[in-house]
Amino acid sequence: MSRRLLLLLTLTCAVGVGTVYFPQAVSPLVGAALHESPGSAALVVSAIQIGYTAGIFLLVPLGDRLPHRPFLVTLLALTGVGLLVAGCAPGLAPLIAAAAVVGVTTVAAQVIGPLAAGLVAADRRGAVLGTLLSGSTGGMLLARTFGGTLGEWLGWRAPYLAAGAVALLLAAVLARTLPVTAPASRQPYAALLAEPLRLLRAEPELRRSCLYQATVFGGFSAVWTCLALLLTGPVYGLGAHAVGMLALVGAVTMLCTPYAGRLVDRVGPDRVNLGCLLGVLLSAAVLAVGAGGGPAGPPALVAGTLLLDISMQSGMLANQARVYALRPDARSRLNTAYMTCAYLGGSGGSWLGVRIYGGTGWPGVCVLVAVLAGIALARHLVASRGPGRDARQAGDGGRGDRCASASVALPPSPRLSKQPVGRRAF
């Protein structure tokens, strides 16, 4: 894993994740240009997100079955073509169909994680995953700004066409630079699709990591879904642009995730998870201060969302390091199970957060974040006190992989077995 290759993979993660998010900023422009209602135009965003979830389930497991270079190049090429078709769509229905196809194929970031985990030494895995996650975070945060700004200048088609050209360019570059990797599995496709569920049943550490991320991501999604309601409501009376400006504060997370990855390498994922769960609990208390507005309200929201972002992303790193160390031959299938649970938790958190906000307001959302983090923290404390904790610490700075390899029983050496008692060989 050279620096050049790591930079290229990080950029690919940013483009892949950004493709899911930039249509959110372009949606109002689509409605105005195609003479559709805002609700109808928003179906483009829903289509790409539904397609993305389907792509995680249907395509990411193939990362264990297919060589990574042709697989990634094909995914990026299909994404690029889909974006170009979307940019040339004559109406809303063809645009929605193209967006769904783009969502299915733009799962490159979920394929790159397992690929990178297999290309680096185990004691550098956290640092590399942190760098890749910073790229994904940057793509998520900057995509809305890119889409909205370019769309305002040149119309809604321009962001789609520009993103399509970038995806095709990356496909051409990766076709020449990605190393050749051998498939880790020979299972048929149907078996690969069923494997994530089997792994969830068989691997308690996978279930634990999924619980951590589902609960924390659920609270994260609830906060960001209800934050727009708070800022545009009577307490603050701001416009929708205020949510976008607040989201840019999360760019600081891009600087923190590489450090968090190195910390996972040094102290192991369990300790990082503990710090992150405590950080989420603290963020809930800080965010609650913003419920009443006033001079303390905006600083509390900025500090609380920033702490929540850093805790969520750093916890994701720790969980992925633990998960990737479980089965080196099934990393893509493990990632499929993990990310599916995370997104299910996020969807549930958004749905529940809106309903709690309607009944109890912003304080209720903050209580929801604290309760979800408390569930994960209670599970973490049980795991840390249980028997065999050291053996379960898979991914602890990469030591889990090496211990698994060293656990193979070796026959005794004939020379040593014939030595008299009391003599030592130096």
Side-chain angles (χ1 to χ4, degrees):
M1 176 70 73
S2 64
R3 290 181 180 271
R4 177 186 175 189
L5 179 59
L6 180 57
L7 178 61
L8 181 60
L9 293 179
T10 303
L11 177 61
T12 305
C13 288
V15 172
V17 174
T19 299
V20 181
Y21 287 94
F22 84 79
Q24 295 177 352
V26 182
S27 177
L29 302 176
V30 171
L34 298 180
H35 307 290
E36 300 283 352
S37 67
S40 298
L43 291 176
V44 178
V45 178
S46 300
I48 200 168
Q49 291 178 339
I50 293 173
Y52 186 69
T53 305
I56 291 176
F57 180 76
L58 296 174
L59 296 182
V60 172
L62 287 172
D64 291 331
R65 180 69 176 81
L66 302 175
H68 285 104
R69 182 162 69 182
F71 186 37
L72 273 173
V73 169
T74 301
L75 286 176
L76 285 169
L78 291 174
T79 299
V81 172
L83 287 168
L84 294 180
V85 171
C88 299
L92 184 61
L95 177 58
I96 292 175
V101 173
V102 168
V104 171
T105 59
T106 187
V107 291
Q110 306 306 329
V111 177
I112 286 174
L115 165 64
L119 290 178
V120 297
D123 56 359
R124 288 191 58 232
R125 187 172 296 146
V128 169
L129 292 177
T131 302
L132 294 176
L133 185 58
S134 69
S136 298
T137 304
M140 178 178 64
L141 295 174
L142 300 178
R144 299 183 184 94
T145 303
F146 157 79
T149 303
L150 192 60
E152 290 286 351
W153 287 351
L154 302 176
W156 70 269
R157 299 181 188 273
Y160 284 94
L161 297 176
V166 171
L168 291 176
L169 178 61
L170 277 174
V173 174
L174 288 176
R176 299 178 60 87
T177 57
L178 269 184
V180 178
T181 57
S185 173
R186 297 290 184 181
Q187 288 183 298
Y189 180 61
L192 286 175
L193 290 183
E195 189 74 1
L197 293 176
R198 192 193 69 80
L199 289 170
L200 274 173
R201 292 195 300 268
E203 299 288 351
E205 291 298 275
L206 174 61
R207 294 196 300 270
R208 183 160 70 102
S209 298
C210 289
L211 174 66
Y212 291 169
Q213 195 60 28
T215 51
V216 172
F217 194 52
F220 175 87
S221 299
V223 165
W224 282 102
T225 301
C226 299
L227 195 59
L229 303 176
L230 175 66
L231 293 178
T232 57
V235 175
Y236 286 90
L238 300 175
H241 67 281
V243 182
M245 295 302 296
L246 186 59
L248 288 178
V249 175
V252 177
T253 310
M254 296 171 57
L255 305 177
C256 298
T257 48
Y259 171 76
R262 293 191 292 271
L263 191 62
V264 170
D265 289 334
R266 289 200 299 268
V267 304
D270 272 4
R271 293 183 182 180
V272 175
N273 271 137
L274 177 60
C276 293
L277 294 175
L278 293 175
V280 174
L281 284 173
L282 179 59
S283 73
V286 175
L287 287 168
V289 178
L301 294 180
V302 170
T305 53
L306 181 58
L307 181 58
L308 179 62
D309 284 8
I310 293 173
S311 300
M312 190 275 290
Q313 299 282 13
S314 300
M316 176 178 288
L317 272 176
N319 292 326
Q320 285 183 318
R322 182 187 297 109
V323 167
Y324 288 156
L326 294 175
R327 290 272 305 274
D329 62 327
R331 287 191 175 113
S332 292
R333 286 162 285 173
L334 288 165
N335 194 46
T336 298
Y338 172 72
M339 293 305 299
T340 300
C341 290
Y343 273 92
L344 287 175
S347 301
S350 298
W351 180 86
L352 190 58
V354 171
R355 280 147 185 80
I356 290 178
Y357 186 87
T360 61
W362 184 250
V365 176
C366 298
V367 171
L368 173 64
V369 175
V371 169
L372 291 174
I375 293 173
L377 182 60
R379 176 66 181 86
H380 180 83
L381 295 177
V382 170
S384 64
R385 294 174 182 174
R389 175 181 178 274
D390 294 334
R392 292 197 313 269
Q393 185 75 344
D396 186 0
R399 291 186 290 276
D401 285 349
R402 293 196 290 273
C403 290
S405 301
S407 63
V408 179
L410 298 177
S413 169
R415 290 182 61 189
L416 293 179
S417 62
K418 293 180 180 179
Q419 291 178 1
V421 178
R423 293 185 61 185
R424 296 181 182 269
F426 293 95

